[in-house]
Amino acid sequence: MNTLTLEVNGERRTVDVRADEPLLEVLRDRLGLTGSKEGCGIGVCGACTVLLDGRMVSSCIQLAVLADGGRVTTIEGLATAAGLDPVQRAFVECGGLQCGACTPGQVMAARALLDETPHPTRAEIVRWMSGNLCRCTGYEQIVRSVERAAEPAAE
Ligand code: FES
Ligand code: FES
């Protein structure tokens, strides 16, 4: 076992992990943060997306030991005492919140995009979000939600 120290959603956490343990497993099974979901488990679907030092990563293929000392933000860490993150609000308002398996990853990916590019074009949104798969109703409401979150009034 390896001792890992992370800042998770603003809290310092220390856990013992296996050398081959993915960050997703550490978050869900050791830290009880089950908001991040496992879809494919091979870095393809985006359901497990979290932010590591501000950059989005697929936590199912991110080795936890390589994240030692890092700052992790999960879906549980987005809302503050002041309320939902603008991305979360927009997903609710625009119907982007379609299913519990994909939405957390989509919200985290959108947050990463807007942190890097606060006012992306529709094409930039579509390209960025293409790593987050949906198998239910489609992508229109998701793209619209990200557009809404990027509107100046949403910030
Ligand atoms: Fe990680 Fe699909 S579960 S990318
Ligand atoms: Fe989960 Fe469409 S949002 S399958």
Side-chain angles (χ1 to χ4, degrees):
M1 292 295 239
N2 302 264
T3 301
L4 177 68
T5 301
L6 296 169
E7 183 190 311
V8 183
N9 298 333
E11 258 182 62
R12 188 181 155 93
R13 308 293 296 262
T14 301
V15 278
D16 290 330
V17 302
R18 300 187 317 274
D20 66 345
E21 203 160 331
L23 180 59
L24 179 62
E25 207 173 301
V26 172
L27 293 171
R28 288 180 57 87
D29 300 344
R30 297 192 187 276
L31 300 179
L33 295 168
T34 55
S36 307
K37 305 299 186 223
E38 178 161 5
C40 65
I42 54 170
V44 172
C45 75
C48 63
T49 303
V50 300
L51 307 186
L52 175 57
D53 295 325
R55 299 181 53 131
M56 71 173 182
V57 297
S58 294
S59 61
C60 69
I61 53 167
Q62 168 68 50
L63 279 178
V65 286
L66 297 183
D68 192 25
R71 182 169 45 89
V72 178
T73 307
T74 70
I75 190 72
E76 289 91 342
L78 271 198
T80 65
L84 293 177
D85 183 275
V87 174
Q88 292 173 305
R89 258 200 329 266
F91 268 68
V92 172
E93 289 168 2
C94 299
L97 204 166
Q98 295 174 161
C99 92
C102 318
T103 302
Q106 287 161 352
V107 167
M108 296 312 292
R111 182 69 269 159
L113 168 62
L114 299 185
D115 286 346
E116 197 175 297
T117 308
H119 302 293
T121 64
R122 187 173 178 88
E124 286 172 324
I125 293 171
V126 169
R127 193 165 50 245
W128 185 279
M129 298 299 293
S130 65
N132 289 78
L133 304 185
C134 158
R135 298 172 190 83
C136 61
T137 63
Y139 295 95
E140 180 54 33
Q141 296 95 315
I142 295 166
V143 172
R144 180 66 202 119
S145 299
V146 183
E147 285 179 325
R148 169 72 64 86
E151 288 169 3
E155 289 165 0

